[in-house]
Amino acid sequence: MNVRPQQLYRQEFRQRILAERPQSVLEVGCRDGKCLQELLAAGVHAEGIEVDPAHVAELRARGLCVHAAKGETLPFAAGAFDLVVSEYCAHHFADLTHHLAEAMRVARRGVFLLDPWYDLSIPSQQLAERWDRWFKAIDRAAGKVHHDSLAAQHFRGAMPNGSRWSFECRHVLHLVAVDDAKFASENEPYLAQVATRPDDLAELQAITAARAQSGLTDDGAIMVLLRAAGSTCSP
Ligand SMILES: C[S@@+](CC[C@H](N)C(=O)[O-])C[C@H]1O[C@@H](n2cnc3c(N)ncnc32)[C@H](O)[C@@H]1O
């Protein structure tokens, strides 16, 4: 199986966080705690929030400081952390506007977000984005919050009006083919749901056929770096 590129994106993102030399970081949607642990190992005071109670319990049992809360309502005082960061969470927030307003209230210096992105100038990425829309629509029909991929203008447009924070956006892409095993394993959880839905089934068949023509490659990443006016930027 091909090695997925998300780990490379996470590495670069975490390097960007540490390059700010923060004393304290709040990670939103910390799931398995890997990012929190990396920050703690680098000497940063790191706390997390998570909506899934099972993750909260497991992380607390491992001694990590994790709060049960949503990214849209952060239970912290203004300026409580140097940075508020999140990896692969922005497309799960019910309202990105609320999250950014809250994150920018709680962060003294910056709010950094990492999320999937597709380079639509490349056919194999166009197909990957179509596949992404396919499974997210099924998730939404099942009642989950799972938005289509977010572009720079969505993040910029979700910043509070009149904000004096700076906006920086970086796109990265390591073009890696989604191989047969990966394609099958990602589709598998959805097959029972679409079995009785001809339109969804037909779309998967069309994506499968198109994959044989153009190939289908794993997502790139968008890194959104928001900095408070007057805060020190990384060198
Ligand atoms: C795609 S996972 C990413 C997890 C982890 N950051 C990573 O990159 O592996 C999204 C995570 O955000 C959490 N989550 C979903 N909606 C959230 C919300 N509104 N506020 C905070 N966390 C949320 C989920 O429980 C899940 O752990």
Side-chain angles (χ1 to χ4, degrees), residues 75 144 165-166 226 232:
K144 295 182 185 166
W165 285 46
S166 68
L226 310 178
T232 314

Side-chain angles (χ1 to χ4, degrees), residues 7 10 14 27-35 49-53 55 69-74 86-95 99 114-115 145-146:
Q7 212 38 42
R10 290 179 204 280
R14 291 172 196 174
E27 192 206 358
V28 177
C30 51
R31 190 161 65 179
D32 59 11
K34 286 196 177 137
C35 179
I49 69 159
E50 192 25 84
V51 284
D52 185 325
H55 290 315
K70 285 189 167 189
E72 295 90 334
T73 39
L74 299 177
S86 62
E87 296 183 349
Y88 296 106
C89 288
H91 63 285
H92 287 288
F93 296 138
D95 190 326
H99 170 66
L114 171 71
D115 222 40
V145 177
H146 210 180

Side-chain angles (χ1 to χ4, degrees), residues 166-233:
S166 68
F167 177 92
E168 181 185 350
C169 185
R170 310 182 71 85
H171 296 94
V172 274
L173 175 64
H174 296 273
L175 209 56
V176 176
V178 173
D179 59 26
D180 291 346
K182 169 82 189 142
F183 189 63
S185 71
E186 291 278 306
N187 288 328
E188 206 277 328
Y190 293 94
L191 296 182
Q193 295 176 71
V194 299
T196 55
R197 299 201 323 231
D199 290 352
D200 289 335
L201 205 48
E203 174 63 354
L204 179 59
Q205 284 162 352
I207 291 168
T208 305
R211 178 170 169 261
Q213 301 298 314
S214 66
L216 190 157
T217 44
D218 231 320
D219 36 290
I222 180 169
M223 296 182 199
V224 177
L225 313 175
L226 310 178
R227 291 187 180 86
S231 88
T232 314
C233 294

